[in-house]
Amino acid sequence: MSKTGFEREERIQFEGEDYAFDTLAVRAGQRRTGEGEHSDPIYLTSSYVFSSAREAAARFNGDEEGNIYSRFTNPTVQAFERRIAAMEGAERAVATSSGMAAIMSLGIALLQQGDHVVCSRSVFGSTVSLFNKYLTRAGIETSYVDPTDLDDWRAAIKPNTKMLFMETPSNPLAELTDIEAVSKIAHDHDALLAVDNCFCTPALQQPLKLGADIVIHSATKYLDGQGRCVGGVVVGSDKLMEEIFGYVRTCGACLSPFNAWNFLKGLETLKLRMTAQSQAAMELAQWLEQQTGIDKVYYAGLESHPQHALALKQQSGFGGVLSFEVAGDKDAAFDFIDATEMLSITGNLGDVKTTITHPGTTTHGRMSPEERADAGIKDNLIRVSVGLEDMDDIKADLLRGLAVI
Ligand SMILES: *Cc1c(COP(=O)(O)O)cnc(C)c1O
């Protein structure tokens, strides 16, 4: 098949065709209206019309495929799903209204009362609340393990363990988990492995190829990349995604077509952004390690990171997020953050604008002090998600912080 020519939309389908990641990121999944538009259209419609009552009946009872209502299917949302599935090397993706809705869909669609989950203790704060409060009410129990310790993962498995859940690299301390090794532990016990791939994105890490069964994303972060929309996605096999789709379609955690369109645009530049933001984070991490007033830097790209070798093995870049401890206590960290002038003080990450966060009182503020201590999140810890501004300007802003501690 020719590699040129734009008119055949099916040409870039990943099923049956072997295109490179960069090509898929730009082209996979696009649907054209027939008007000849080049950019992806937004199908901003809540419902669809039928040519006859007979056709409506056939669609509703499943005899005929096609759109019915945008809580079920929407062409723009499907274009996003097909593109991210292609980029993760998955059979299928199901888009959700947020990253948390993606994680919730795993709990409700794939687990049931009496099931047990083994989860890394270094996962997103709301993920812990979801497991501990809402899934516990549904009779699903969760145990937490040290994400870096394979024996801990093995020891936590019970006869009723149905899912292992991890985030690697973790937020904010960049702890890594060996995806391939943990997938073997999961499969030895007929459990599923789900990976939150938010920090690396498929541009830097493809967990399904390392043995994971499911990948989830908060599309809000790097997939969007410019801090515009909230959304999420689950990817995996047709069989598992059919269950997830059933939950999303019925319970309503569906993605808006407008947000899906923004994510489609974000995916087109994902690899470029991830490469540039990883390079910038690496430079900044090395620079921060040299500064007086910085006690410790957490970034898997540094040779001082205990899991640097694992990062080299399972990732193709180190990502754009790093964190560091400043000399002093919480007040020193607050003073440092407040002295910056350009960086955005926000809990969000993955934006082209560099953001600065005090995890202990924001993203991880709902954990108890003991839970935070267990997770290694100290009061003097600051997280930076490196954007695309000029590196000298970013350093100059951090120097303003360093000057006041
Ligand atoms: C932000 C985030 C989530 C939650 O995603 P939302 O889109 O905010 O619901 C889940 N996991 C990680 C790692 C995140 O950073």
Side-chain angles (χ1 to χ4, degrees):
M1 188 176 282
S2 154
K3 289 241 174 194
T4 56
F6 293 87
E7 60 282 354
R8 284 164 299 171
E9 63 144 325
E10 299 306 332
R11 199 173 66 83
I12 311 291
Q13 289 298 312
F14 61 104
E15 292 114 341
E17 289 292 344
D18 189 19
Y19 286 107
F21 182 90
D22 289 352
T23 307
L24 294 169
V26 176
R27 293 187 172 272
Q30 179 164 7
R31 285 216 175 157
R32 294 210 164 88
T33 62
E35 293 292 339
E37 75 281 0
H38 189 201
S39 176
D40 305 77
I42 310 182
Y43 289 84
L44 211 51
T45 181
S46 51
S47 69
Y48 303 82
V49 291
F50 310 105
S51 60
S52 65
R54 204 176 297 278
E55 184 182 76
R59 292 259 180 102
F60 271 81
N61 73 21
D63 283 349
E64 187 184 289
E65 280 200 13
N67 296 309
I68 297 172
Y69 187 53
S70 280
R71 171 153 49 78
F72 308 164
T73 55
N74 174 282
T76 314
V77 174
Q78 285 176 326
F80 167 61
E81 291 172 337
R82 294 217 290 253
R83 189 167 298 175
I84 187 77
M87 293 165 75
E88 287 282 7
E91 287 176 358
R92 186 170 168 192
V94 179
T96 56
S97 53
S98 66
M100 290 318 301
I103 301 172
M104 185 63 183
S105 76
L106 302 184
I108 300 297
L110 303 179
L111 303 174
Q112 61 184 15
Q113 189 178 9
D115 285 350
H116 174 248
V117 178
V118 179
C119 184
S120 155
R121 62 157 163 63
S122 303
V123 291
F124 191 63
S126 297
T127 306
V128 175
S129 306
L130 190 158
F131 283 133
N132 287 356
K133 188 166 177 191
Y134 298 101
L135 291 186
T136 304
R137 280 187 199 164
I140 297 159
E141 186 208 355
T142 304
S143 311
Y144 294 91
V145 296
D146 177 342
T148 66
D149 183 347
L150 294 175
D151 287 335
D152 218 15
W153 284 95
R154 266 184 221 108
I157 303 262
K158 298 184 187 187
N160 58 340
T161 302
K162 293 287 159 55
M163 186 182 289
L164 279 58
F165 187 96
M166 64 161 80
E167 195 181 304
T168 180
S170 72
N171 173 25
L173 294 178
E175 289 173 302
L176 265 58
T177 305
D178 188 329
I179 298 172
E180 201 170 3
V182 174
S183 80
K184 291 202 179 101
I185 296 171
H187 298 155
D188 281 348
H189 296 273
D190 286 331
L192 297 168
L193 172 62
V195 178
D196 184 333
N197 199 23
C198 185
F199 276 66
C200 273
T201 83
L204 303 182
Q205 173 173 274
Q206 294 164 337
L208 299 180
K209 292 186 180 153
L210 298 166
D213 302 285
I214 300 158
V215 167
I216 74 99
H217 281 283
S218 167
T220 317
K221 314 292 167 51
Y222 286 108
L223 303 192
D224 180 315
Q226 296 179 56
R228 297 165 295 198
C229 295
V230 174
V233 68
V234 189
V235 303
S237 66
D238 276 330
K239 187 161 168 269
L240 290 171
M241 291 310 106
E242 188 57 28
E243 296 296 323
I244 302 289
F245 176 65
Y247 162 77
V248 171
R249 164 188 174 130
T250 307
C251 298
C254 53
L255 183 66
S256 143
F258 181 75
N259 290 7
W261 183 83
N262 275 297
F263 297 148
L264 274 170
K265 294 289 121 188
L267 291 181
E268 292 171 5
T269 57
L270 180 68
K271 174 95 164 282
L272 284 175
R273 285 185 283 107
M274 293 311 291
T275 304
Q277 287 172 256
S278 295
Q279 272 167 9
M282 185 73 200
E283 182 177 341
L284 202 59
Q286 285 170 334
W287 178 80
L288 281 165
E289 263 194 333
Q290 307 302 319
Q291 305 306 307
T292 39
I294 304 289
D295 284 352
K296 186 163 182 186
V297 181
Y298 298 88
Y299 186 63
L302 294 173
E303 278 172 31
S304 60
H305 190 285
Q307 294 170 296
H308 180 62
L310 177 59
L312 285 170
K313 191 181 107 186
Q314 69 183 16
Q315 300 174 200
S316 54
F318 302 111
V321 178
L322 57 88
S323 60
F324 52 91
E325 287 159 6
V326 294
D329 52 11
K330 187 180 96 178
D331 288 338
F334 274 27
D335 290 345
F336 183 109
I337 291 170
D338 291 347
T340 62
E341 289 172 8
M342 177 185 77
L343 304 194
S344 309
I345 305 173
T346 169
N348 203 17
L349 60 91
D351 201 296
V352 295
K353 296 185 175 80
T354 301
T355 64
I356 188 164
T357 310
H358 184 255
T361 52
T362 60
T363 52
H364 294 69
R366 279 197 284 172
M367 293 166 87
S368 68
E370 297 75 42
E371 285 171 329
R372 266 200 302 281
D374 271 358
I377 299 166
K378 297 189 186 156
D379 285 345
N380 59 349
L381 185 79
I382 292 175
R383 184 191 75 194
V384 169
S385 166
V386 185
L388 292 178
E389 302 95 337
D390 181 81
M391 182 50 61
D392 289 341
D393 288 336
I394 297 173
K395 286 179 184 167
D397 214 24
L398 292 171
L399 283 172
R400 291 183 188 108
L402 278 166
V404 297
I405 59 165

